[in-house]
Amino acid sequence: MAITAAQIDLWRQEPTEHQALEFKEAKASFNFEKLKEYCVAIANEGGGHLVLGVSDAKPRAVVGSQAFPNIVDTADRLFLAVGFRVEVEAVDHDDGRVVVFTIPPRLRGTAHHVDGKYLMRSGESLRPMSEDRLRAIFAEGQPDWVEQPSLSGLDAAQIVELLDTQTFFELLKLPYPTSQEGVLEKLVQERLIDREPAGFSIRRLGGLLLAKRLDQFPDLARKAPRVLVYDGPSKLNTRIDQIWQRGYAVGFQGLVDFVMAQLPQNEVIEHALREKVKLLPEHAVRELIANALVHQDLSISGMSPMIEVYSNRLEISNPGEPVVPVERFIDGYQSRNERLADLMRRMSICEERSSGIDRVVDLAERYQLPAPDFRAAHRRTVATIYGQKPFDEMDREGRIRACYQHCVLKYVLSERMTNQTLRERFGLGEAKLATVSQIIAATIEAGFIKLDATGGESRRYARYLPFWA
């Protein structure tokens, strides 16, 4: 079906570019090597359209493009270069020629590459796919790891002995069945156990969520969260090293309570009274632990979620590099383990629709804590949340991170960041207006935020957007 000028205008009205739609001005030309890379990246992320001759900045004016005058030859060259057919069309728009590349999605279980580079998009740029992402793609179509049996040949009594069925029903807010058969039927219905000719089997998902002890499941024992508590701000002296053996769902609140008990206490003065408060708010700790459990890469062996408690911060990490770029943690969401996430949501353990990171950032702002730090490490995703630190002691990187996160949080709330809102986030008064302006300028220079062109001329009342908005 031919692309029309009307379709171009509909695409121009999209709120933002996304995985299936990319605009480039390309008035005179467009590099063929870059074209190959964009086709591969868009195909790897489900297919879509690359549109040349339209500005990628709002209001997305049609500027016209003279790139690739021979579209038939271009389509043939692309096919030889990338190995799949890309439809190329030249559309006569009232404001100029627009070239549209319609890129098909990759086949299930395969990924495309250019000269050995498996590419994906990250904001307005391209980046190599991580090992974890490639492994997940190549495993598509194979049986899901969590749906495979962990223990088989069990009788009804062994099922109830191994799994905490009482807490399972409490978490679902359901009355406990009056018969053992009723308990087993619910577990079968939820696909946590299976009936077999010789009795029952427990799926790995059932064990992960409901195990009374994960070490009774040989293939799940290394998935148990590990809690490390240090004396001081470094790893030099370890005070506690404990493996949390209960299943993720039935042991979650106990795990959160244990971690909270290990956090240092700070003394604050409020209403002329001295009070002792924990280093971090419980809601933030809860969200980050749930996030690490739900979004870990369960296919990686020999690694487990880790919770490390220091005197001035909490670090929570999980196996697997993130499937969403860390700079999009606040507004983006993609679950690595959909069934695990769904059950944890139904048990009110994690967020209903997002990763909970937006709540963590919001809590850090409300308590005027330093900005949380989210990092992709080697085969791990690390989230760090810090205890109280005066503004004057925050380093440049921490201030820029706080500015970007505040800008994103305002954006997802359909609001805009200004100098005033950022001063309020840091707990600063009018006298610090110039200081906060310097932070905003540094964040713009770092490429994390940009000026909202609709905000008017005044720098004092300027509004700002995330770089990808």
Side-chain angles (χ1 to χ4, degrees):
M1 182 177 175
I3 303 295
T4 64
Q7 179 62 68
I8 301 290
D9 289 337
L10 282 174
W11 285 336
R12 291 168 58 206
Q13 295 172 26
E14 291 278 342
T16 63
E17 291 178 305
H18 47 76
Q19 290 179 340
L21 185 62
E22 177 84 26
F23 295 106
K24 297 293 180 185
E25 283 195 356
K27 291 181 181 180
S29 62
F30 192 75
N31 183 275
F32 185 74
E33 295 301 313
K34 184 62 68 175
L35 173 64
K36 293 190 303 184
E37 292 180 349
Y38 268 101
C39 288
V40 163
I42 291 172
N44 282 339
E45 296 182 27
H49 297 89
L50 173 64
V51 183
L52 306 185
V54 177
S55 171
D56 57 1
K58 287 186 176 181
R60 298 207 186 94
V62 174
V63 297
S65 175
Q66 299 306 312
F68 307 112
N70 188 334
I71 60 174
V72 174
D73 177 67
T74 300
D76 290 340
R77 290 174 62 200
L78 266 179
F79 179 73
L80 292 174
V82 301
F84 56 90
R85 179 66 64 186
V86 175
E87 297 294 332
V88 187
E89 298 179 61
V91 182
D92 291 324
H93 191 279
D94 288 344
D95 296 322
R97 176 179 180 264
V98 177
V99 184
V100 179
F101 296 85
T102 302
I103 302 149
R106 62 177 177 80
L107 296 176
R108 186 173 175 80
T110 65
H112 297 298
H113 66 86
V114 178
D115 302 325
K117 296 185 294 185
Y118 293 89
L119 298 170
M120 60 186 292
R121 292 171 65 206
S122 177
E124 296 181 1
S125 60
L126 304 176
R127 68 181 178 117
M129 284 186 166
S130 67
E131 289 180 35
D132 296 341
R133 179 64 184 137
L134 278 173
R135 189 168 54 252
I137 288 174
F138 295 142
E140 289 173 351
Q142 299 177 11
D144 194 339
W145 186 87
V146 296
E147 304 297 349
Q148 300 306 300
S150 179
L151 295 176
S152 301
L154 306 172
D155 60 29
Q158 289 173 306
I159 295 289
V160 176
E161 181 182 342
L162 289 164
L163 303 181
D164 187 347
T165 57
Q166 182 74 44
T167 304
F168 171 61
F169 279 88
E170 290 173 0
L171 289 170
L172 289 178
K173 297 179 174 58
L174 295 174
Y176 197 75
T178 56
S179 67
Q180 191 177 76
E181 180 58 32
V183 173
L184 298 174
E185 187 55 40
K186 182 61 177 176
L187 293 173
V188 170
Q189 178 187 332
E190 295 288 351
R191 291 179 290 149
L192 300 175
I193 69 171
D194 294 295
R195 296 185 187 273
E196 296 181 335
F200 297 89
S201 64
I202 299 176
R203 296 191 186 193
R204 287 170 175 153
L205 181 60
L208 277 175
L209 290 172
L210 309 183
K212 291 179 179 177
R213 290 195 61 87
L214 284 166
D215 56 7
Q216 293 180 312
F217 297 78
D219 52 352
L220 303 182
R222 290 301 301 272
K223 307 297 181 187
R226 183 182 179 190
V227 182
L228 291 157
V229 183
Y230 305 107
D231 284 327
S234 73
K235 299 179 186 284
L236 286 177
N237 297 307
T238 303
R239 180 161 54 88
I240 295 174
D241 184 348
Q242 180 161 329
I243 306 297
W244 197 259
Q245 292 292 355
R246 287 176 62 76
Y248 294 172
V250 297
F252 182 77
Q253 189 57 53
L255 175 60
V256 172
D257 291 344
F258 179 77
V259 172
M260 290 301 299
Q262 310 312 315
L263 287 176
Q265 293 190 114
N266 290 333
E267 197 172 67
V268 299
I269 299 177
E270 191 167 340
H271 305 304
L273 298 175
R274 292 184 181 272
E275 293 185 18
K276 288 190 174 182
V277 297
K278 286 295 183 181
L279 180 73
L280 301 168
E282 180 175 337
H283 285 310
V285 174
R286 179 185 180 90
E287 294 292 349
L288 288 176
I289 293 177
N291 208 60
L293 297 178
V294 167
H295 296 292
Q296 66 179 300
D297 187 342
L298 292 164
S299 68
I300 297 179
S301 60
M303 297 176 71
S304 66
M306 291 184 62
I307 303 165
E308 298 177 273
V309 182
Y310 298 84
S311 60
N312 63 347
R313 69 191 186 279
L314 179 70
E315 288 189 7
I316 299 177
S317 64
N318 58 265
E321 296 173 18
V323 293
V324 174
V326 290
E327 64 269 18
R328 302 300 297 270
F329 270 17
I330 300 174
D331 72 296
Y333 176 73
Q334 182 179 345
S335 177
R336 181 180 257 127
N337 305 296
E338 194 56 48
R339 273 251 291 149
L340 175 62
D342 177 64
L343 282 162
M344 295 276 272
R345 283 193 292 264
R346 288 171 53 199
M347 296 177 188
S348 301
I349 291 171
C350 64
E351 284 283 285
E352 182 63 31
R353 295 183 61 188
S354 72
S355 64
I357 297 300
D358 52 350
R359 179 178 290 187
V360 172
V361 172
D362 179 57
L363 286 165
E365 294 201 351
R366 284 164 51 192
Y367 285 82
Q368 291 187 343
L369 304 175
D373 187 12
F374 306 106
R375 289 176 286 116
H378 177 61
R379 304 190 79 184
R380 294 193 78 84
T381 301
V382 184
T384 305
I385 186 165
Y386 300 88
Q388 288 281 355
K389 181 184 289 187
F391 174 80
D392 292 341
E393 295 180 15
M394 293 183 189
D395 60 18
R396 183 175 186 273
E397 180 185 349
R399 293 178 180 183
I400 289 175
R401 191 168 62 247
C403 179
Y404 171 66
Q405 291 179 5
H406 178 69
C407 189
V408 176
L409 197 61
K410 285 293 182 184
Y411 183 79
V412 299
L413 294 173
S414 299
E415 300 175 9
R416 296 293 181 266
M417 183 187 84
T418 65
N419 185 293
Q420 179 180 337
T421 69
L422 188 57
R423 277 186 281 118
E424 291 170 354
R425 183 265 179 264
F426 285 124
L428 302 175
E430 183 84 12
K432 293 290 186 178
L433 188 148
T435 300
V436 171
S437 291
Q438 292 172 359
I439 296 171
I440 292 173
T443 311
I444 292 175
E445 183 181 354
F448 290 121
I449 65 172
K450 61 186 179 183
L451 187 67
D452 181 357
T454 66
E457 299 292 327
S458 170
R459 303 296 297 181
R460 182 185 181 93
Y461 300 106
R463 306 189 307 177
Y464 301 90
L465 297 168
F467 69 91
W468 42 261

